[in-house]
Amino acid sequence: MPGVSSDSTRGALVPLSPESPGAVVYPLRHGLKSPISRLSISWSRGNSLRVSVFAAPSSNGSVNDGDGGKVVEVKLGGGDGEISEAHWRRIAYGSVSPFALLQSRKNAVSSLSKMSMNSSPYDGDWWDYIMEYSKDINALLVNQKSASVPVLDDTKSVITKGEEPTSLKAAWELLEMFYAEKPSHSWLPERLVDWLADYDSLFSGTHPTVHSKLVDFQKEFVNLQVVEDDPKYWEVMSSALAVGWLNIVVKMLRLHGSYQLDQLSNRETENGLVEAVAVLISKMPRMRLEQEAGKLGECYKAKPDFVKAWEKWRGQINKLDSSAFWFQCAHQQTREGLRSMLQIMLGNANSLCSATYNWIELYISHFLYMRPLTVGLESMYSLAQKSIQLKPMASAHRLMGLIIGILGENTEVVLAECLKGFGPWIVAHAIELLTAGSDHAEMLLHEERQNLGGISIEELHRLVYAQVLSSFPLTWQIAPIYLISCMKHGMILLQILLSKQPVQDNQLLLKSIEICRLYELHSVTSNIMKIAGVHHWKHGRKGSGVFWLQQARDEYRLNRIALQLFDSVGKTISDESFKQWEGLIQLLGSDSKTAGGLEFLHKYRDFKKSLRQIHDGKATDPARQAVESLISLMKNPSTPQRFWLPLLYDSLKLLNWKERPLLNVSQTNLLLNKLQELSMARLRPDFIESELPPQALNSVRLALGTNLGRAILEE
Amino acid sequence: MAFAESQNPLRVYRIPQSRYIDAVRWLSPVSPSDRFAAIAYFDADTNSPSIEIAYVDPNPQSSSPTLTPQSSWTSPSRISSLRTAHSTPQPLLAAATFSGSLHILASDLINGGVMESEATVSQLGFHSGPVSAVDLREGGIECVSVGEDGRVNLVSFVGDSSKLNYRRIFDSNGLVGYTAVKWASPSEFATGGYGFGIQWWDQRTPGGPVLQFKGNWCQGKTSGIVHSIDIHPSRKHTCLAGGSSGTVFAWDRRAAQQPIVLSGAGTGEAPNSLLSESEVWEVQYDRYTRRLNIGNISSTRILPVMICSEDGILAVIEQGEEPLELLAEPCAINSFDIDRQNPSNVICSLEWESLAILTRS
């Protein structure tokens, strides 16, 4: 069998061929002593595999403990290490409301645009809706892990740790900035700068990054006496400057030894140069909408203003670079370090390339110092290609693939990268952003495709996500929200999903029924109820079974179980056990439609009740009631034949009522006819004999005869 | 429908738990400022059910309440019903499971909330299948359990034996299933079940229920299940019940077979006054009231009632008034509990693996 390691006694399950690099070995703890003869694997709920292990029968025929087989569940590792399963579920729960809200707004907008033909569907508030949706989803992705507090005292810590970033949030923010923010692509480069500042650490696992260099330096930093003597100090500062982390650079520059009071006097020129660079850095012009409070740099919204400031700033740098003060600076490292920083600020391609560690960092540094006016995805894409050429990488991080896809303006690649890197959740939710502003993407994703069985790519991804939700016991309840947004196959899959839910537990059953009610799936409701009814009935919970079958108005099964119930009635309805039956009969109610064949029980109970009241043989009114119940029982076609004789035998004292005959002629004749029918039926082979004394039939016949005579006389 | 926010300030805090919550109860505090809650969890990742005692800090520095787990007890099966008895400093918990066992736990709130299993009934024949509901008598020496198997068992725990003894009060052999139970007095209790049925039991009259209520008010309509019963200590003649189709009704034992419908099916009113159309999972008398004195309210009037429902509603219903909605969640509210000592505090469990703590002021 492929997939089972040859050494089956160790019982390891290998999901892939051992040669493949990603093979994971899951040990099975089946505890079987004998060798395994057969293995059967199927999906269980969620990420679990159900493995049935069959042991080989022992050769000597004796039965030992641990023989036979065992079923074990193997939990396959959740694909994403950085987000726990519980966090995934929290994201899934939280995205339901934003998704549903956006869908209903979409429906409202599209019905509105149908009414007034001339208005575009995506006018007015539409971008606000999309942005609100994106922000709501983004808020869910915040890592719950508590932020670690920096151990160093504040003056010496160059990087402060906020919340632990996740790739998923980084990916969503990329999608948000490119698709959801009302397109104003001139700000995009600066948005990417901010994005990298937040998420550069994510690349540290697979690539060298500025962030990881900073973290490394921070560790050594504590023990450094003269910081400016360390070449790393200058190296790290250049790198941070290249990716635009101005606050960090200025803070580090001010840790330079020349700032110390005792050295200020004899390092005056040196200190002046350091401070001049720090000031230039903090005055860097940025073309962006707004700047977070406390962040360095001066921002300009309009291009002409920015260009003017930019030229002026570069002029100042050039002036400083060619100043004579450098010759008076005695400290070599400071001199070289500061001048290489100036080269970065002047956009020296070689300096930028050596200061950055991967193509994204290089890319960002180009935006900052070489082409701050880059506009349009096309030029951004070609710049990215150039950066990749300068800093090629063996393996690409999943976020890098996504960036390339987005810049390449290829919707299918973006979706594929999302799916590959982040799973079905992000695809199902990101499609809303992708289609928001692009007619091309909307056409592509909404077009019904033959090769997908007539559904669109959008529907396909929603169905896939719903399928994932359905397979977990805690999230299946939110799958319907996504299924009903799928026009073609959603409803059918929803019906299948609901029909597959377990019925054993009332609470779960009622939750399924509630979903059926919301989507008006009445036939599914009644099917579920029938399944539940039969399940309860089979497990001896007769009351529950009858209730559910009644709710489902399933007369066929009610009649069938009625036959079984009557068997036990014939044996057990004595006065003592009447209390047990009372509840069930009450449950049945008097409505014959919902009771099916069980209606008989209700009348039988009334009859028994009135019989019990006349045990003294004197009360005539209850006796009359009993007679009426008897006649209506005997007339009713739902009264099983096998109860005729016990009923009549129970009524002997009515038939032999002392004062006067209680039954009139026609009533007596009816009963005599029934008795006759019964005598005929006894000849048939399938007749069920009641457990009555052998003379019962004769005594009933005699009593009926006597009563007939008395009734004739009276009339 | 009235919303709580507009009338009185209500603070709601949702605390994600990363585990499914099967039940939640307040524990009676040792000191007035303490808040302890017992929470029955089910961890779907590891398939392990447990009960935890958590210290609820209502006002930490971070302004939203925090839960600090104190102790944990691993249950052999998922918890189907959890009740607490208000005895200090060792509140008792009765936990019934889906595998048909009953566990009495004691928690020492003074010494760090350590929880110990005092006793267990799990022998074959106690219940067949899940125990659907359990109730601890106030003072906590007796416990009644019911199931859909039709068994009504009385468990007494006097003495220190770890094996509990139980007495079968009734066995309907599955002909009638019970889904809710509540003590009314030391000898009386009420059970609820299918078809909106309520049974009144008196231990002094053995052999079966003393009184049965089967509302004939749902004739022709679909019937339902009673999920929860409450009985007010000052109004023992009235059973409050909540169940399917948003139904909340009271049965006054003195008024025979006519239910007093507070909400849901059979109200016959305009549909906009319908609070909820889905399952009402729990009902409790709301002791938090701005009224001066319960004694002043006529004994035929039903006291204010809090309910939670499958469609995410937590609300207070007063007879003849607009219901007051406290919460409207996008997911089901499966259970809630009102703090006895400080009824302004409500804790409730949400379907999406989180708890909500409400403070009314």
Side-chain angles (χ1 to χ4, degrees), chain A residues 258-368:
Chain A
S258 64
Y259 281 98
Q260 284 174 19
L261 288 175
D262 54 335
Q263 303 192 12
L264 208 55
S265 52
N266 50 10
R267 296 173 77 178
E268 203 172 352
T269 317
E270 190 184 344
N271 181 251
L273 285 167
V274 174
E275 183 58 24
V277 172
V279 168
L280 275 174
I281 289 172
S282 52
K283 295 276 180 209
M284 178 179 176
R286 310 283 292 262
M287 174 122 152
R288 56 191 297 150
L289 267 175
E290 55 197 1
Q291 184 79 291
E292 237 178 87
K295 289 259 181 178
L296 297 175
E298 294 186 341
C299 66
Y300 295 89
K301 284 176 198 165
K303 195 172 158 187
D305 296 347
F306 169 75
V307 172
K308 217 190 270 171
W310 174 255
E311 291 305 329
K312 191 180 157 202
W313 182 67
R314 284 176 66 102
Q316 287 167 340
I317 299 170
N318 273 319
K319 208 170 141 195
L320 178 64
D321 194 32
S322 53
S323 111
F325 288 111
W326 295 109
F327 301 106
Q328 296 168 28
C329 176
H331 195 264
Q332 191 201 346
Q333 274 99 338
T334 305
R335 201 170 58 228
E336 286 170 4
L338 286 177
R339 294 193 80 170
S340 77
M341 285 169 78
L342 290 182
Q343 284 308 305
I344 285 173
M345 288 155 80
L346 287 170
N348 182 318
N350 290 332
S351 303
L352 292 179
C353 196
S354 56
T356 51
Y357 298 96
N358 56 53
W359 75 260
I360 294 194
E361 288 172 0
L362 180 63
Y363 184 53
I364 296 298
S365 71
H366 275 236
F367 281 143
L368 282 166

Side-chain angles (χ1 to χ4, degrees), chain A residues 471-594:
Chain A
S471 69
F472 289 91
L474 290 183
T475 52
W476 75 266
Q477 283 184 63
I478 56 182
I481 305 279
Y482 293 89
L483 287 173
I484 51 141
S485 70
C486 299
M487 300 306 289
K488 283 262 158 122
H489 294 331
M491 223 42 181
I492 294 293
L493 283 169
L494 176 57
Q495 292 181 13
I496 294 173
L497 170 67
L498 288 165
S499 306
K500 278 197 312 197
Q501 291 311 312
V503 299
Q504 291 89 326
D505 176 40
N506 261 343
Q507 203 185 7
L508 282 178
L509 175 68
L510 289 165
K511 283 176 191 286
S512 301
I513 291 174
E514 168 72 6
I515 293 171
C516 293
R517 189 181 68 82
L518 284 178
Y519 301 114
E520 299 179 334
L521 298 168
H522 304 303
S523 65
V524 181
T525 310
S526 90
N527 269 334
I528 296 176
M529 286 172 169
K530 283 175 196 176
I531 296 169
V534 171
H535 174 85
H536 284 300
W537 176 264
K538 277 185 177 169
H539 284 80
R541 296 185 288 273
K542 302 188 183 72
S544 319
V546 166
F547 172 81
W548 286 117
L549 290 174
Q550 265 188 305
Q551 292 292 93
R553 301 182 182 273
D554 186 351
E555 277 187 56
Y556 172 74
R557 282 185 187 79
L558 279 172
N559 286 333
R560 287 288 298 272
I561 66 172
L563 294 179
Q564 289 185 37
L565 259 187
F566 296 155
D567 285 343
S568 42
V569 173
K571 288 175 199 118
T572 64
I573 283 205
S574 57
D575 287 348
E576 304 85 65
S577 64
F578 215 84
K579 288 240 162 167
Q580 292 180 357
W581 285 91
E582 192 74 16
L584 180 67
I585 290 163
Q586 283 220 347
L587 180 64
L588 291 172
S590 50
D591 190 359
S592 66
K593 267 199 186 129
T594 54

Side-chain angles (χ1 to χ4, degrees), chain A residues 105 123-134 180 182:
Chain A
R105 281 174 167 171
D123 267 353
D125 302 329
W126 184 246
W127 285 109
D128 294 341
Y129 293 161
I130 289 289
M131 205 52 209
E132 188 187 330
Y133 166 76
S134 183
K182 200 166 187 172

Side-chain angles (χ1 to χ4, degrees), chain A residues 135-187:
Chain A
K135 293 276 178 222
D136 286 349
I137 299 277
N138 198 350
L140 298 169
L141 306 177
V142 176
N143 206 336
Q144 297 288 321
K145 279 179 207 160
S146 59
S148 54
V149 185
V151 273
L152 295 173
D153 65 299
D154 199 43
T155 52
K156 280 215 160 188
S157 77
V158 287
I159 41 168
T160 47
K161 278 187 170 179
E163 63 177 68
E164 196 113 329
T166 64
S167 295
L168 189 66
K169 191 165 162 49
W172 188 267
E173 287 193 0
L174 275 179
L175 296 166
E176 183 178 282
M177 79 172 79
F178 279 96
Y179 299 107
E181 285 176 12
K182 200 166 187 172
S184 51
H185 281 196
S186 45
W187 317 118

